[in-house]
Amino acid sequence: MPMPRTAELLALALLGLGCHQPPAVVARAGSIEISRPYAFAPVIGDEGSAYFTMKNAGAIADTLTGVSAGKAVAMLHGSRESGGVVRMVMLDILPLKPDETVALAVGQIHLMLTGLDPVPHPGDTLQITLTFAHGGSATLGVPVYRYGDTPAE
């Protein structure tokens, strides 16, 4: 007896639960694959933050040497602990070893954007260009979300 359509769909969904799909690559710069871009709209003023994942799929190291976002000032920030206090610090470069993945995330390495003009709103898309020492440049469209909303994976 054939399964009803809903049972077939449920069976397919359950089979897919154990499968983990790698994130879709939205841009490439040489051997660097960039995925999962998103940004938060400013809560106050013209400052926001952006995040993405970079994977060096190549056999040689590369380095993120520059970031630009139109008229805005784009600064890569990380954090360092000193005397039990964690402080945000500006990063001039971000090395990527072969087969290394670096994910920018809230409270960790992130892209700080100041002087956003026009100020983006949820639903907008920012154009961000990443420049690498060996791989060249890649421009990606970064969807903007309300602060605190988590983009779907």
Side-chain angles (χ1 to χ4, degrees):
M1 175 175 190
M3 283 196 279
R5 182 78 178 136
T6 53
E8 290 174 18
L9 294 174
L10 179 60
L12 287 172
L14 289 173
L15 284 173
L17 287 177
C19 299
H20 175 58
Q21 294 293 328
V25 173
V26 297
R28 292 181 195 277
S31 63
I32 306 298
E33 299 173 344
I34 303 146
S35 60
R36 296 184 176 139
Y38 66 99
F40 288 128
V43 176
I44 299 173
D46 61 358
E47 295 183 0
S49 53
Y51 311 90
F52 44 87
T53 298
M54 299 175 291
K55 177 180 173 66
N56 185 347
I60 63 166
D62 206 340
T63 302
L64 178 63
T65 59
V67 182
S68 63
K71 298 177 193 175
V73 175
M75 298 170 284
L76 200 58
H77 285 167
S79 57
R80 291 213 173 93
E81 184 180 343
S82 176
V85 176
V86 178
R87 298 181 198 276
M88 191 166 46
V89 295
M90 194 165 98
L91 304 174
D92 293 324
I93 61 170
L94 185 58
L96 290 158
K97 298 174 193 162
D99 203 37
E100 181 178 26
T101 299
V102 174
L104 279 65
V106 175
Q108 299 175 23
I109 298 172
H110 62 279
L111 184 61
M112 190 74 200
L113 303 167
T114 60
L116 289 162
D117 182 21
V119 172
H121 299 283
D124 290 347
T125 300
L126 296 174
Q127 297 299 310
I128 295 177
T129 301
L130 308 177
T131 303
F132 296 88
H134 300 291
S137 297
T139 299
L140 47 149
V142 179
V144 177
Y145 294 88
R146 186 174 60 89
Y147 187 80
D149 283 356
T150 304
E153 297 218 5

